[in-house]
Amino acid sequence: MHHYHTNIRPIKRSRSIDMLNGPIGPRLVWFALPLAFTGILQQLFNAADVAVVGRFVGKEAMAAVGSNTSIISLLLNLFVGISLGANVVISKFIGQQERQGVRKAVHTSILVAVISGLFLTAFGELLTRPILRWMGVPAEIKAMAETYLRIYLLGMPVILLYNFESAIFRSKGDTRTPLLCLIVSGIANVLLNLFLVIVVHLDVAGVAIATVTSNLIGAGMLLVSLLRDDGDVSVRWGELRIDGKVLKEMLRIGVPSGVQSMMFSLSNILIQSAINSLGAEVMAASSAGFNIEVMAFYVTSAFGSACTTFLGQNFGAGQWDRCRRVTILSMAQNVLGSAMISLGILVLSRPLLGIFNQDPAVIGYGVIRLRYILLAQPLNAVIEIVSGSMRGYGRSLEPALVSLFGICGVRILWIYTGFRKIGTYAALLTAYPMSWVVTALALVVLYIVFIRRFRTQPEGG
């Protein structure tokens, strides 16, 4: 078993949360809330992109921007997963007081972000037309969709740099700095949108340029902050190199998580095609419902990240008892928090849906969607915490495989069996709670087996 350490001297870091000593509960909340607000703000800024083109250019331009959403998330998810691997590796080194390890991991992360971004830009630009053909983008918006995607892809290096930099800040317990940078870059995004679309008349190209520029601002601000940092996560130009052992560990933890996210995107594309078969009212209701329910998802996801980071540091420090308490407390907070926000949204569901569309049929379908998704949200909270906890221990493959079969497998199976037979919107939405029940149960069993084995192996095995 791990030896327990007390009063561990934390690595010097400003604005960060001490995860190794003192009360855990309040600090989990203090860590998770800025992370949740970051996700919600990103969603609002994305909605602003669509709103500006929809309001000042037209529905074709709005459709062109919207048609790229699923493919962009598919391309990004793998590398965002690797940034999660970076978060775990750095957290563990901080817990172990391995200052040299922290420095190697930080500099490896920065270089991996930029190189991965350049690869994605080149790969995406070569395959833009085949991708849009595969997505079945209608001919009348194909030219605009291609323009948007090509400009967006040019920004991949700075988009990934922002994600990896955020992971570095999270690993030392600072979620506020990325949030503040996002607020500045998000406001810049909205102002640039309005200027480039209304004044310069650049339609979808203007929105894409604004998005890339705002990401450049956010990534630049975080980089300046890391360059000025005088602690162990500071960036020094002369130390920028990729450490093979660190990269291998990042990929071991991050790739399963990234592939899992990519598969979720694919299953969601399949669900979207099933929604498209039910008509325009259901499509509009589903889109509005998604933009509201995603707020609850960002809360559950934030507590999952908090669990991973806190557990990663304490696991590195050999503080087994604190690891156990991190899992229990983050589980309780996440289930309670997701239930509260879900009930709040359900109570206000009609006026919230009315912001997007006033049609009574659209609002009716939207309410159905929100009930199916949000009443089952606490199950999603369990999935996030168990997966996050196991990632903190450095075990990413097992929860990724369980989630892959439990969520993607169940949803795809249901679309081609139960939904095909019944054919209603409610029947399609059953795929969500059904897949969460199966996955939550399987993950809890996996976690119990893992912990029992872990505790019986020498040095935590």
Side-chain angles (χ1 to χ4, degrees), residues 400-460:
L401 288 172
V402 169
S403 299
L404 201 62
F405 289 108
I407 291 181
C408 301
V410 168
R411 287 178 189 177
I412 292 165
L413 185 66
W414 179 251
I415 287 167
Y416 290 108
T417 55
F419 169 67
R420 188 167 276 185
K421 197 172 181 181
I422 304 165
T424 64
Y425 186 44
L428 176 62
L429 293 172
T430 306
Y432 288 100
M434 195 188 299
S435 64
W436 287 336
V437 168
V438 171
T439 308
L441 285 171
L443 278 173
V444 168
V445 171
L446 174 73
Y447 178 77
I448 290 166
V449 170
F450 163 72
I451 290 297
R452 280 183 180 164
R453 281 186 186 167
F454 179 84
R455 296 195 74 170
T456 55
Q457 286 171 0
E459 292 302 312

Side-chain angles (χ1 to χ4, degrees), residues 128-410:
T128 292
R129 284 187 177 168
I131 285 168
L132 292 174
R133 255 200 316 275
W134 173 67
M135 290 289 292
V137 175
E140 62 270 22
I141 65 165
K142 193 170 273 185
M144 282 192 288
E146 184 179 334
T147 300
Y148 181 86
L149 186 55
R150 285 194 186 281
I151 295 170
Y152 193 101
L153 286 166
L154 290 173
M156 281 297 182
V158 288
I159 291 167
L160 285 183
L161 183 59
Y162 176 84
N163 277 288
F164 275 80
E165 288 167 337
S166 297
I168 292 167
F169 279 96
R170 276 204 310 275
S171 66
K172 66 164 185 154
D174 180 2
T175 50
R176 284 180 293 161
T177 301
L179 174 60
L180 292 171
C181 292
L182 177 74
I183 291 168
V184 174
S185 63
I187 292 167
N189 183 28
V190 173
L191 295 174
L192 274 169
N193 270 336
L194 294 168
F195 175 74
L196 293 172
V197 172
I198 300 168
V199 180
V200 189
H201 304 294
L202 280 179
D203 56 69
V204 294
V207 175
I209 292 165
T211 301
V212 171
T213 308
S214 65
N215 275 291
L216 180 63
I217 291 167
M221 287 174 71
L222 286 180
L223 185 59
V224 167
S225 185
L226 287 169
L227 286 165
R228 286 181 177 172
D229 194 291
D230 59 353
D232 292 274
V233 299
S234 61
V235 170
R236 299 290 173 262
W237 297 117
E239 292 182 45
L240 279 173
R241 62 183 64 84
I242 291 177
D243 183 277
K245 285 173 84 172
V246 167
L247 177 62
K248 189 179 174 186
E249 186 66 2
M250 275 183 198
L251 295 175
R252 187 183 70 78
I253 296 166
V255 169
S257 180
V259 171
Q260 177 186 335
S261 297
M262 288 177 78
M263 293 308 294
F264 285 173
S265 293
L266 279 172
S267 71
N268 287 337
I269 289 169
L270 278 174
I271 288 178
Q272 187 58 49
S273 66
I275 288 168
N276 294 350
S277 73
L278 296 170
E281 285 175 343
V282 171
M283 285 172 73
S286 222
S287 175
F290 171 78
N291 278 290
I292 297 165
E293 82 209 16
V294 79
M295 305 299 175
F297 168 75
Y298 285 124
V299 173
T300 59
S301 175
F303 277 99
S305 290
C307 179
T308 297
T309 310
F310 273 70
L311 209 143
Q313 278 203 24
N314 283 285
F315 179 53
Q319 301 199 114
W320 164 251
D321 191 50
R322 280 181 75 85
C323 289
R324 193 175 55 83
R325 280 190 288 149
V326 164
T327 304
I328 293 166
L329 284 167
S330 55
M331 179 74 78
Q333 289 174 351
N334 206 5
V335 170
L336 183 64
S338 65
M340 284 168 63
I341 193 169
S342 297
L343 288 173
I345 292 171
L346 285 170
V347 168
L348 298 169
S349 56
R350 288 185 181 275
L352 286 171
L353 289 161
I355 295 168
F356 293 88
N357 198 297
Q358 291 290 325
D359 188 317
V362 170
I363 291 173
Y365 282 123
V367 169
I368 293 169
R369 178 179 175 110
L370 290 176
R371 282 179 185 158
Y372 271 86
I373 302 290
L374 293 174
L375 288 173
Q377 197 60 225
L379 287 167
N380 206 18
V382 172
I383 292 167
E384 285 289 332
I385 296 301
V386 176
S387 298
S389 178
M390 290 194 69
R391 277 196 292 268
Y393 285 113
R395 305 300 288 262
S396 184
L397 182 61
E398 297 93 328
L401 288 172
V402 169
S403 299
L404 201 62
F405 289 108
I407 291 181
C408 301
V410 168

Side-chain angles (χ1 to χ4, degrees), residues 52-75:
V52 168
V53 267
R55 175 77 178 78
F56 297 104
V57 183
K59 60 185 179 185
E60 290 82 9
M62 189 176 167
V65 173
S67 67
N68 281 302
T69 307
S70 54
I71 196 64
I72 286 167
S73 68
L74 195 64
L75 290 170

